[in-house]
Amino acid sequence: NGLALEYAGEQFKKKKDIVLAAVTNNYLAIRFMDSSLNNDKEISVEVYKQNSDYIKNFSEDVQDYIKKNYK
């Protein structure tokens, strides 16, 4: 369950592979990841694939990347 990320230790919320697995399971897990991963394109793309409306929450750089490569 990707939402279990909420209860994971802080060190796990910073690990890209763990966060990516969590958001792949449930895009809402993005709410619980460490802010250091906010601009990670791979994580953002996975969230976008599940809910394209979530794009508005991404930085302009990530939005531009997604618009160029995934729309």
Side-chain angles (χ1 to χ4, degrees):
N1 182 343
L3 294 178
L5 186 63
E6 178 179 10
Y7 305 103
E10 292 304 313
Q11 71 273 22
F12 298 111
K13 294 178 181 184
K14 294 178 181 181
K15 291 189 160 270
K16 179 179 175 173
D17 58 332
I18 291 174
V19 172
L20 186 57
V23 298
T24 298
N25 176 266
N26 187 325
Y27 78 94
L28 292 173
I30 196 171
R31 299 180 299 176
F32 307 116
M33 73 179 186
D34 187 78
S35 62
S36 64
L37 297 173
N38 282 350
N39 292 318
D40 186 276
K41 291 177 180 152
E42 192 174 2
I43 292 170
S44 299
V45 165
E46 185 57 42
V47 171
Y48 173 77
K49 287 177 182 178
Q50 293 180 49
N51 183 348
S52 61
D53 290 336
Y54 209 85
I55 193 172
K56 65 183 178 243
N57 297 303
F58 300 143
S59 70
E60 285 186 36
D61 289 342
V62 172
Q63 287 183 36
D64 289 343
Y65 175 81
I66 290 173
K67 287 175 185 175
K68 288 177 185 172
N69 296 291
Y70 292 93
K71 280 199 169 191

